[in-house]
Amino acid sequence: MPQVRLVGENIEEQGVYQLRDALKLAEQLELDLVEISPKADPPVCKITDYSKFLYQQKKKQKEMK
């Protein structure tokens, strides 16, 4: 079973979770499971509002220009 490392301010116990458990937790919080570091072992994911995440990414890119 694939595993992911969960990080974020809304996670009580950050650490390595089974993917299905991470998805269940995101569903319970009515948020999305977003992969932020796919090349890590295990991949790093964050439970967040995906539309808000995209907005913040675009904002960061604009600031860099």
Side-chain angles (χ1 to χ4, degrees):
M1 179 60 58
Q3 294 182 323
V4 295
R5 180 173 302 279
L6 277 183
V7 298
E9 60 278 347
N10 52 5
I11 308 299
E12 289 179 20
E13 290 186 40
Q14 297 185 20
V16 177
Y17 286 78
Q18 297 292 332
L19 180 58
R20 68 173 180 263
D21 295 336
L23 287 167
K24 257 188 234 176
L25 186 55
E27 189 176 312
Q28 288 171 355
L29 296 171
E30 296 181 353
L31 294 169
D32 305 299
L33 184 66
V34 180
E35 186 176 52
I36 56 175
S37 184
K39 296 191 191 281
D41 186 26
V44 179
C45 295
K46 183 176 186 177
I47 294 179
T48 188
D49 181 344
Y50 188 62
S51 59
K52 184 178 177 182
F53 175 78
L54 286 178
Y55 172 78
Q56 290 173 339
Q57 292 295 96
K58 288 179 184 176
K59 190 174 172 183
K60 282 181 188 177
Q61 288 177 348
K62 282 182 181 179
E63 287 175 4
M64 293 173 117
K65 288 182 181 179

